[in-house]
Amino acid sequence: MNAIFAWFSNTWQYLSDLFYKCFIKEDRWRYLWDGLLVTLQITVLAVLLGFVIGFLVAIIRATHDKTGKLKIGNAICRLYLTVIRGTPVMVQVLLIYFGIFASVNVPKLLVAVLAFGLNSGAYTAEIIRGGIMSIDAGQSEAGRSLGFNYIQTMYYIVMPQTIKTVLPALGNELVVLLKETSIAGYIAMDDLTKGGNIIRSITYNAFLPLLAVALIYLVVVLVLSYGVNCLERRLRNSDH
């Protein structure tokens, strides 16, 4: 019994010392806090950019599929989707930072937002386009019978139903984008994952810093998922 108590006591003391060494000493927890702020900043801005790009691409492609117009725009959009979805996001980030902006002094945050926004936009575009194409054609015909033109029909009838349909998929894309930003450290950004790696390099201990990073990502994902679920329920309730 004494041996078990001694083992628990020694283990607790070891973990306490390790926790102090990794997070308390010299305020090393700030590496994680500052990294989290950078990660959230990249995610929010990239989501906004990705939604704008995805919305425009989806409208162009859906218009072409429905009317046969905008052939050149559709071809450009298809090329964009093929390139972005066919190459790894890490390669895209490195290419934009070390290739396109290699000789230009631009903020790393701008590069990260542009890279992740372009990547997210491709997937968001197909999500929204799928939602638009899933709306029954009778809805558009009803809009035209009310005197709406194509743009008005899309704005007042098709898009509100589309958003409700694709909201879960858009929420999933937001979660994926948040986790993808963990590679921002490859362009020397002090994001959350990089903060954990800095603590690891100082303390020569990988378990606690990386465990803390994983737990922080998990908490943020759970909060985002809860927010999306609440919004989805509110939109469903508005139908009644």
Side-chain angles (χ1 to χ4, degrees):
M1 191 69 176
N2 291 334
I4 296 176
F5 178 79
W7 181 84
F8 274 111
S9 178
N10 292 334
T11 302
W12 175 256
Q13 185 62 44
Y14 170 76
L15 291 176
S16 299
D17 293 341
L18 188 60
F19 184 87
Y20 174 82
K21 182 181 178 182
C22 290
F23 305 119
I24 307 301
K25 187 178 181 180
E26 298 176 354
D27 290 336
R28 288 169 184 165
W29 60 270
R30 294 196 63 87
Y31 289 114
L32 298 179
W33 174 253
D34 294 340
L36 175 61
L37 296 180
V38 172
T39 293
L40 293 178
Q41 192 174 13
I42 295 172
T43 302
V44 171
L45 295 176
V47 162
L48 295 176
L49 177 61
F51 184 80
V52 171
I53 294 174
F55 181 79
L56 293 176
V57 171
I59 290 296
I60 292 173
R61 295 209 63 209
T63 300
H64 176 268
D65 292 342
K66 289 177 175 290
T67 66
K69 300 178 180 179
L70 304 178
K71 292 183 179 180
I72 296 178
N74 182 66
I76 295 174
C77 291
R78 287 178 62 88
L79 177 62
Y80 160 71
L81 295 174
T82 300
V83 172
I84 296 299
R85 296 196 299 166
T87 55
V89 62
M90 187 168 70
V91 175
Q92 297 166 15
V93 173
L94 295 176
L95 180 62
I96 292 176
Y97 183 71
F98 293 108
I100 298 176
F101 293 110
S103 59
V104 182
N105 185 20
V106 297
K108 296 173 185 176
L109 177 63
L110 176 62
V111 176
V113 170
L114 180 61
F116 290 114
L118 286 172
N119 183 270
S120 178
Y123 295 95
T124 301
E126 288 301 275
I127 291 172
I128 296 177
R129 186 181 74 90
I132 293 174
M133 300 305 295
S134 69
I135 303 302
D136 189 86
Q139 299 289 324
S140 298
E141 295 174 359
R144 285 193 290 270
S145 68
L146 293 173
F148 291 165
N149 56 32
Y150 180 79
I151 296 177
Q152 291 174 322
T153 301
M154 291 292 291
Y155 182 80
Y156 290 108
I157 298 178
V158 176
M159 290 309 301
Q161 298 180 69
T162 298
I163 296 300
K164 292 181 182 179
T165 302
V166 304
L167 184 60
L170 290 178
N172 183 67
E173 173 59 25
L174 172 60
V175 170
V176 171
L177 177 60
L178 171 69
K179 293 186 291 185
E180 283 180 343
T181 60
S182 61
I183 65 173
Y186 281 93
I187 59 173
M189 289 205 70
D190 295 329
D191 68 314
L192 178 56
T193 304
K194 183 67 175 295
N197 278 327
I198 292 175
I199 297 175
R200 177 186 59 80
S201 66
I202 294 173
T203 61
Y204 298 102
N205 180 274
F207 179 72
L208 274 188
L210 297 182
L211 178 63
V213 169
L215 290 176
I216 293 172
Y217 272 115
L218 178 60
V219 170
V220 175
V221 167
L222 291 176
V223 171
L224 291 176
S225 299
Y226 176 77
V228 172
N229 290 335
C230 289
L231 180 59
E232 186 179 356
R233 286 196 299 270
R234 178 169 295 185
L235 291 176
R236 282 202 305 264
N237 292 336
S238 66
D239 292 335
H240 301 307

